[in-house]
Amino acid sequence: AMSNELFKEIFGNVSWQVEPNNKQKDVRYFSTGNYMLKPSEFYYEYATGGKIGYTKDAGYTMVTTASKDNMDMIAVVMNCEKSEDRYTSTRKMFDYGFSHYKTVVLDGNDIGTKELEIYSGRYLWAKATFSVDVSFNVLLPSDKDDASVSYDIEVKDEKDPDLINAYVVLYLDGERIGEAK
């Protein structure tokens, strides 16, 4: 949902108004109940959206998003005994995440290209060039720097013209950490 810009805007609203309609003749004003988003003792400067809740079975609950230094996080807390517990628990999770991790951006243009010939049996069927035209955000422990990340283009199913695909493979200190088609 957070990749939908309209949802993000609505989720991050602190207050809003609803114009008169066929059911209500007056303008109505609403305000979020999430105190991490507005001036209060629980305000969190990096919070970007949130929704609070309470049921007898689930206790006090909250979903909150936060963004800092090109890193977005989502915290979900449930079954809190007191309303304020959801705020303190969420702050602890965000503070831990932002202090122990960071995001580095790998420019797709820096990854390069991979060229190969594709054969069908013994005959050259096609030549292919795989390249990357998007950037990657890579989550790293905060004690690592950009130099600890390396990458390669890996081709899978290169002997089958119908299934051939290329992947960017990411490594952290030489250890494979992920891939993207």
Side-chain angles (χ1 to χ4, degrees):
M2 293 307 292
S3 64
N4 180 303
E5 290 304 318
L6 180 59
F7 178 85
K8 274 175 73 169
E9 178 185 339
I10 294 169
F11 196 61
N13 278 341
V14 174
S15 62
W16 60 97
Q17 70 182 42
V18 176
E19 297 300 322
N21 57 41
N22 64 340
K23 302 275 186 192
Q24 296 286 332
K25 66 179 178 126
D26 297 320
V27 173
R28 291 175 292 153
Y29 299 93
F30 296 91
S31 177
T32 183
N34 187 325
Y35 292 118
M36 295 191 97
L37 299 174
K38 57 188 181 180
S40 72
E41 67 179 297
F42 301 113
Y43 176 75
Y44 190 73
E45 68 180 303
Y46 305 113
T48 57
K51 170 72 175 90
I52 63 170
Y54 175 82
T55 67
K56 184 177 177 184
D57 290 337
Y60 290 96
T61 62
M62 186 166 68
V63 176
T64 308
T65 57
S67 295
K68 179 183 176 189
D69 298 331
N70 197 36
M71 184 167 50
D72 300 326
M73 295 200 309
I74 301 171
V76 177
V77 293
M78 302 173 80
N79 204 27
C80 295
E81 288 184 24
K82 298 183 286 189
S83 176
E84 58 267 18
D85 293 346
R86 59 186 164 191
Y87 297 105
T88 55
S89 294
T90 297
R91 177 178 285 278
K92 285 178 186 176
M93 286 191 284
F94 284 148
D95 287 346
Y96 181 89
F98 287 132
S99 67
H100 286 80
Y101 296 92
K102 66 180 180 179
T103 300
V104 297
V105 179
L106 296 180
D107 186 339
N109 294 318
D110 293 341
I111 295 173
T113 61
K114 178 107 178 193
E115 297 180 6
L116 59 101
E117 295 178 337
I118 303 169
Y119 287 88
S120 180
R122 297 181 316 170
Y123 301 100
L124 180 63
W125 183 72
K127 292 184 179 185
T129 302
F130 295 97
S131 62
V132 181
D133 61 355
V134 297
S135 296
F136 291 88
N137 289 338
V138 181
L139 184 67
L140 296 178
S142 57
D143 63 343
K144 299 292 181 179
D145 62 13
D146 297 18
S148 61
V149 178
S150 59
Y151 41 81
D152 193 13
I153 297 177
E154 183 178 289
V155 178
K156 295 183 180 179
D157 297 313
E158 67 182 78
K159 296 196 183 301
D160 187 338
D162 296 322
L163 296 177
I164 191 168
N165 278 300
Y167 297 79
V168 174
V169 181
L170 301 172
Y171 300 90
L172 178 61
D173 293 330
E175 183 178 332
R176 186 184 187 118
I177 58 170
E179 65 181 44
K181 192 171 186 180

